[in-house]
Amino acid sequence: MNVREPADQLGYFQKRQKEIVETIRQLVELESPSDVKQSVDRVGTVLASRFSELGGKIKFHPAEKFGKHLQIDFRPRGNKIKPVLLLGHMDTVYPIGTISKMPCRVSKGRVWGPGVLDMKAGIALALHVIEAMLEWNNGKLTRPVTLLLVSDEEVGSASSRAITEKLAGDAAAVLVLEPAYGLHGAVKTARKGVGEYTLQVTGVAAHSGLDFEKGQNAVIELAHQVLEISKLVDPKSGVTLNVGKISGGTRVNVVPATAKATIDVRVASAKDGTEIDRKLRALKPFNPHCSVSISGKMNRPPLERTDAVAGLYLKARDLAQGLGWDLAEAAVGGGSDGNFTASLGIPTLDGLGAVGEGAHAEHESVVISELPRRAALLAGLIQMV
Ligand SMILES: [Zn+2]
């Protein structure tokens, strides 16, 4: 089979759709919540064996609390081109046992199950794409490829971030296997930066009947602060602050001495991230007898639509056009590990994984008929970037 042309490559993957679905099923049935190390490690072991069958060089990066991060290198001998970094994660948001309530099944043209879209299907695509490219080129890739599958993406990537950044620094481009946006399968060329902060208020406790005047109510102070924080929201420039949780006080008849709030921050630009950080740290108590302190930080810088990102998107759009479809781009609020690599200035394209619906929800599913197109697009990009 001649598979030089994108259309031939698409045909190749259409013939292998069933195999791709089988791999997805195998991965979904291995549950892998971020906080259960041994379960994520089991996924890593299975994937290591499948990729080493293809000739990939396996390296596990130890992680204390999380599963080992899995790095797989394909280094065709004598090929000096910079590698492409394929970026994914093995962990999911679903606790062990979810699979019995939402079993992996194929129906209505989709594969369903916990973590199927985000992002077991993305990993399966990478596996079958590498397998195909080896087959097309006599067992040797046309360029070096590194695949990094981390185990803590759903909980902020603290233990894998340095590895991601190191490998991205060596790469020509980063292709992120996160799900596409929407059922039309748009890729993601902008993602918001994400931060989490905790505001702690300290007042003075007192008996609410005997010593009411001696008390300094931390809950009231917190209420003022929450309103102040909500003034920083600016939807037009993509800045949101969500006071998602508050707590305070001990008993109804005690003037509360402590109260706290946790705040989720999203920004579209790094500049706004710095600005919001500064404003949160500058919060002053309304009641001079209370004190406020803020902890936390911006955890993920935004993935901004830089020229490098846009350039990669245009290549992908041309490729898709050759395959007969219009590949749209989207800006989204959620962060991914692509945020880290794009903010280093490495050309990054996100949302190259599967097309589907319901990430992190009961109806999480992947559209099967879209899989061959996604595989052909990924294969094309690996060859050309
Ligand atoms: Zn994900």
Side-chain angles (χ1 to χ4, degrees):
M1 180 180 188
N2 180 5
V3 281
R4 298 241 161 112
E5 298 300 319
D8 300 328
Q9 299 186 352
L10 178 59
Y12 176 98
F13 288 117
Q14 279 162 340
K15 289 205 186 93
R16 277 155 187 84
Q17 190 169 284
K18 262 213 170 105
E19 293 165 36
I20 303 175
V21 170
E22 251 336 287
T23 302
I24 295 173
R25 182 203 294 280
Q26 184 193 19
L27 295 176
V28 171
E29 287 181 344
L30 292 167
E31 294 185 278
S32 53
S34 318
D35 58 348
V36 184
K37 176 176 169 56
Q38 75 193 83
S39 301
V40 185
D41 278 340
R42 199 172 317 130
V43 175
T45 305
V46 167
L47 285 168
S49 112
R50 292 209 53 183
F51 278 101
S52 68
E53 275 168 30
L54 300 178
K57 196 172 135 264
I58 306 300
K59 178 173 180 182
F60 281 110
H61 296 265
E64 207 177 305
K65 286 210 314 250
F66 302 101
K68 288 173 260 181
H69 311 299
L70 173 58
Q71 177 185 342
I72 306 145
D73 285 292
F74 291 87
R75 290 278 179 278
R77 199 172 302 154
N79 193 320
K80 292 277 182 281
I81 312 172
K82 274 191 176 187
V84 165
L85 176 62
L86 305 182
L87 202 50
H89 62 88
M90 299 180 281
D91 60 322
T92 75
V93 296
Y94 299 93
I96 296 287
T98 306
I99 193 83
S100 59
K101 280 171 270 161
M102 45 187 286
C104 185
R105 63 195 165 90
V106 172
S107 81
K108 300 182 189 147
R110 294 188 184 188
V111 205
W112 308 73
V116 63
L117 177 63
D118 188 11
M119 57 148 54
K120 301 271 168 91
I123 299 173
L125 282 170
L127 183 96
H128 286 277
V129 162
I130 289 173
E131 180 186 54
M133 292 171 65
L134 289 164
E135 198 181 317
W136 299 340
N137 198 45
N138 304 317
K140 203 172 151 186
L141 293 184
T142 51
R143 67 150 336 124
V145 174
T146 298
L147 180 67
L148 178 65
L149 299 172
V150 306
S151 62
D152 62 348
E153 197 274 344
E154 296 290 5
V155 288
S157 303
S159 80
S160 59
R161 178 176 182 168
I163 305 164
T164 300
E165 290 179 339
K166 164 81 179 56
L167 293 177
D170 298 335
V174 180
L175 306 177
V176 187
L177 304 167
E178 290 284 346
Y181 177 76
L183 287 173
H184 294 295
V187 288
K188 297 165 183 173
T189 51
R191 280 183 180 272
K192 285 190 181 177
V194 187
E196 190 180 314
Y197 291 85
T198 301
L199 177 71
Q200 184 75 49
V201 177
T202 308
V204 178
H207 190 295
S208 64
L210 300 177
D211 279 330
F212 183 80
E213 289 80 12
K214 290 187 184 156
Q216 303 294 342
N217 192 318
V219 166
I220 293 176
E221 176 62 30
L222 182 74
H224 284 293
Q225 296 293 339
V226 167
L227 294 177
E228 201 60 17
I229 288 166
S230 67
K231 287 183 196 157
L232 302 175
V233 173
D234 180 8
K236 255 195 257 138
S237 47
V239 175
T240 63
L241 292 93
N242 181 51
V243 181
K245 264 169 81 178
I246 58 166
S247 61
T250 50
R251 307 176 68 88
V252 70
N253 59 353
V254 178
V255 176
T258 59
K260 77 175 182 182
T262 49
I263 307 138
D264 170 285
V265 177
R266 311 267 163 165
V267 293
S269 74
K271 197 174 117 280
D272 286 343
T274 310
E275 190 62 12
I276 292 296
D277 184 273
R278 190 184 62 73
K279 286 182 174 161
L280 286 174
R281 289 182 197 287
L283 288 170
K284 294 277 177 302
F286 286 78
N287 174 349
H289 303 290
C290 286
S291 64
V292 297
S293 75
I294 193 107
S295 58
K297 58 177 186 203
M298 295 302 299
N299 296 320
R300 285 182 204 274
L303 190 168
E304 298 186 57
R305 193 184 186 282
T306 57
D307 290 347
V309 169
L312 203 47
Y313 164 64
L314 292 178
K315 284 184 187 171
R317 197 184 64 179
D318 286 349
L319 260 169
Q321 216 144 46
L323 297 167
W325 101 95
D326 285 329
L327 181 66
E329 61 178 318
V332 298
S336 87
D337 288 341
N339 291 45
F340 300 138
T341 64
S343 79
L344 292 176
I346 314 298
T348 298
L349 194 58
D350 201 335
L352 286 165
V355 177
E357 272 182 309
H360 300 194
E362 228 167 273
H363 60 295
E364 183 160 348
S365 55
V366 158
V367 179
I368 293 171
S369 61
E370 292 282 346
L371 290 168
R373 282 213 302 211
R374 305 308 284 190
L377 177 64
L378 188 59
L381 278 171
I382 292 172
Q383 293 165 95
M384 82 185 295
V385 297

